[in-house]
Structures are given as C-alpha cells and as structure tokens.
Amino acid sequence: MIIGVPKEIKASEYRVALTPAGAAMLKAAGHEIVVQSGAGEGSSFTDEAYAAEGAEILPEASEVWARAEMIMKVKEPLPEEFGYFREGLLLFTYLHLAAAPELTKALVDKRVSGVAYETIQLANGSLPLLTPMSEVAGRMAVQVGSQFLEAFYGGRGILLGGVPGVPPAEVIILGGGIVGTNAARIALGMGASVVILERSAERMRYIDEVFGGRIRTLMSNGYNIASAVRKADLLIGAVLIPGARAPHLVTEEMVQTMKKGAVIVDVAVDQGGTIATIDRVTTHKDPVYEKHGVLHYAVANMPGAVPRTSTLALTNVTVPYALELAGIGLAGAVANNEPLRKGVNTYKGRVTHPQVADAVGMPYVALEQLLQNVPYEELN
C-alpha cells in the first residue's frame, strides 16, 4: 500500500503522523511511504531522516494526497483539505466527528473510509490511541492553567502550590479518566488542593487508592459540580464519551459564580467542550478569552505545543494499527479486530459509528452490513 504523510496545517500544530522509525517499519513490511517536505520539522525530524528510511519526499500536500492509498495524519482534515478526498481513500487520524458535521458530510459524500484514532476501543473500555495524547493534555492542562493564573495574564495572581502560611490554589477536575488523573498528578505535585468529580464509584475508589487519599473525590452530579465550581481557582474539563459530543456539565450560571480571575482549561473542547461558556476554539497563539471575569483556555490541539514528546508517544501506538490496515486492507483488518472495527467512523458513504451519527444528525449503518455488501436500498 502507498502510505502518505502530509504536513499538518492546523494552527500551531507541529506534530507529525509518522516518525522516521515508523516509516522504516512500514517500509520493511513492503509498503511505499510518501512524506510531504517539512512534515516532520516541527517535531525535529528532517526530510533527510525520512529519506534515509526509504520514504519518498514530495514537495506539495496535493501530491501526497493524490499518490497515497492511505493517509496518516494527526489532526482532522480542515476544509481546505476536503478537496483531496476521493472514493476509496483510507484516512487514519484523529477525526472528532461528533463536533464536525461538515467534515463528516465531506467524508460521506466522497466515500472516504475514515478510521478515527479516538474511537479505537479495547474490550476493557480503554482507548489506546487516545491515551498518550490524553496523558500529555492532562499534564499540560495544569501547566497552562498555572501560567494563566498569574496576574500578568489577567489571572487571580495565585501560585498553584501556595507557600507556608498561604493556602494553595483549588484545582477542580471534571472527570477521573486518563486526562483527569494525569492533571491531578501534576497539580498534586505542584502542591495544589485537588478535587476530582467522577460519576463512577469504582473509578473514585481507584483514584483514592492510587493517590493515597491525597486527592478528594466527589460524585459528579449537578449539585456537587455547582458547589465545586464556585470554589475553583483552576477548573479543568476532562470528560470524554467515545465518539460522542462532550456533555455540558458546567452551565453559564455556574461560571458566573466563579472567582474573578479564575481559569478554565477545557481539554474536551475538540469534542464540543464540557463548559457551556466555551463557545469557540482558541489556538496556541491566542489561547484564552475572558467571559464573566473568568479566563477560558480552549485550545483543541494542546499536545501540539510539545510535538516531539507527543509525536513519539502517538506513533508508538498508531504504527501497529497502520501496519495491520496497510497489510490486509480495512475490511481484512477489522474482520478479527473488534477494537479497530470501533475506530471506523465512515465507510462506503455511510456513518458507521452510532455516537457520531447521533451527534451529527446523520443515519447510522452498522459496518458489518456494509462489509457484507447489503444492497443500498436495504440500508435505509
């Protein structure tokens, strides 16, 4: 298979979908690799490094998209890339379609097979291709939150860990999954007072055990959220429902009760956000806006700010799946791989993930039906 790696064009996105080491693995398996010139520079991988592993360097994105049978990316395609779509193309990337109806429609209209990193799910419920970026984003959430709490940026002027005789900041985390626990680990290490709101009693027991009771846990419900939000110096949104839009757990009225100069970091913004006042996506160059006296950080590609770490962590987990997809094709790869099957969001002009279909208001068709060549009229 011909595998293409275009340069990411999202604002301040410096990651790349494949390292030279990954290219070498795919090349050794008999595949052809085409990489856009400069695609790896943001992650400190030169064109020469890819070429040394047998990849062909092409000057333009259009050439990469046209040559490739499978495109590997990091972030979802932007509208200026929709023109590259064509029937039969396999796209392997983060898609986050629940918050992107226009992209979903473009993939369906052009009959692109869209396999989303973030919905590949193991039997235990874990998301192996989302986990490393969730780890990065969770840890970064505290870093950026502590920065914007500084008065220079319009924050409350609070040091996260306080000092002897002065209390630490109150860090409230919505969600006790990978993002939430990684955020808690950094916040706790910096000396903050940390509360995690989580709806799973089993997960709260796990958090209590892992952190030795140093982090307070609360059942996630409207009453507890409203109470915790009022006390927050730093509020971190870390809720994920695979494939679906993130639920709005914090209302605008709750945000209005927050302290002046408090900071919100919503890691779930790429799935629509879990804070009602997150009404737009920001970028690394212009990361925050103020509403109701509270600073809102809504960058949808947080790991892109630390691309070397993020690219290495991401390709550690994506390359094995890429080898499978390229080796036997999508239909063959999903036949005996249930986790990968859950990653297929669009196929043969249909939405094949139920939560995505519900979020974007389009019909859902089970992938199994399409693979069995059920007649088109019977799919409606």
Side-chain angles (χ1 to χ4, degrees):
M1 185 177 281
I2 303 173
I3 300 165
V5 182
K7 186 174 183 178
E8 299 295 322
I9 64 171
K10 193 178 184 74
S12 302
E13 179 54 72
Y14 302 108
R15 288 172 291 180
V16 64
L18 193 66
T19 63
M25 292 175 66
L26 289 162
K27 185 74 175 179
H31 306 295
E32 185 178 339
I33 316 298
V34 291
V35 178
Q36 184 182 351
S37 181
E41 286 180 357
S43 297
S44 301
F45 296 117
T46 65
D47 289 350
E48 292 74 18
Y50 287 102
E53 301 302 338
E56 181 181 355
I57 308 302
L58 298 177
E60 302 295 335
S62 57
E63 297 177 77
V64 174
W65 283 86
R67 283 274 300 279
E69 297 166 280
M70 178 169 76
I71 287 286
M72 291 185 68
K73 288 184 89 280
V74 177
K75 292 303 291 179
E76 69 283 352
L78 298 182
E80 48 264 54
E81 294 172 301
F82 293 0
Y84 300 138
F85 293 173
R86 67 181 188 277
E87 184 172 354
L89 180 67
L90 175 57
L91 176 63
F92 189 36
T93 186
Y94 287 118
L95 286 173
H96 298 293
L97 294 182
E102 290 185 5
L103 172 57
T104 309
K105 185 177 186 303
L107 293 170
V108 167
D109 288 348
K110 293 297 181 70
R111 298 172 68 86
V112 174
S113 298
V115 182
Y117 294 164
E118 74 276 6
T119 62
I120 292 175
Q121 188 171 23
L122 302 181
N124 63 5
S126 64
L127 305 167
L129 274 60
L130 189 61
T131 293
M133 296 303 94
S134 295
E135 291 168 337
V136 172
R139 296 177 186 208
M140 281 190 66
V142 178
Q143 283 185 203
V144 299
S146 64
Q147 176 184 348
F148 287 105
L149 277 172
E150 296 174 15
F152 176 80
Y153 297 100
R156 298 196 69 227
I158 289 179
L159 183 65
L160 211 64
V163 294
V166 179
E170 290 284 341
V171 177
I172 306 298
I173 302 170
L174 302 177
I178 301 297
V179 171
T181 52
N182 276 273
R185 180 175 289 111
I186 301 303
L188 190 66
M190 294 177 72
S193 173
V194 184
V195 176
I196 293 179
L197 289 102
E198 168 60 46
R199 64 180 184 177
S200 166
E202 181 179 354
R203 185 67 181 178
M204 284 190 283
R205 292 188 187 98
Y206 169 82
I207 291 168
D208 187 66
E209 180 179 350
V210 166
F211 289 103
R214 294 176 295 160
I215 289 176
R216 288 171 290 158
T217 56
L218 288 173
M219 178 59 68
S220 182
N221 57 49
Y223 179 87
N224 284 340
I225 291 172
S227 177
V229 165
R230 282 195 299 272
K231 301 172 184 175
D233 295 304
L234 171 58
L235 174 64
I236 297 174
V239 175
L240 173 74
I241 300 174
R245 277 190 75 94
H248 273 175
L249 300 180
V250 176
T251 66
E252 185 162 3
E253 290 73 23
M254 291 180 191
V255 173
Q256 289 173 326
T257 70
M258 293 180 70
K259 306 167 186 174
K260 181 176 175 58
V263 174
I264 294 173
V265 177
D266 196 350
V267 182
V269 67
D270 52 8
Q271 288 288 117
T274 195
I275 316 292
T277 47
I278 297 288
D279 53 13
R280 60 185 179 274
V281 174
T282 62
T283 67
H284 289 292
K285 290 183 178 178
D286 187 18
V288 297
Y289 62 90
E290 180 271 328
K291 193 167 188 177
H292 302 309
V294 176
L295 292 180
H296 292 61
Y297 180 98
V299 176
N301 61 327
M302 291 176 66
V306 287
R308 180 76 178 190
T309 297
S310 298
T311 291
L312 290 167
L314 179 60
T315 55
N316 283 344
V317 294
T318 57
V319 169
Y321 288 95
L323 282 165
E324 195 164 354
L325 286 167
I328 53 177
L330 186 145
V334 303
N336 297 303
N337 190 327
E338 177 64 21
L340 185 56
R341 191 180 309 151
K342 290 183 177 181
V344 182
N345 283 200
T346 63
Y347 184 67
K348 290 188 176 179
R350 294 287 176 154
V351 178
T352 54
H353 194 288
Q355 281 74 33
V356 169
D358 181 65
V360 300
M362 296 177 71
Y364 161 70
V365 177
L367 178 63
E368 290 75 14
Q369 290 183 280
L370 298 172
L371 292 171
Q372 292 167 9
N373 295 313
V374 174
Y376 183 88
E377 58 272 11
E378 293 182 21
L379 298 174
N380 297 286

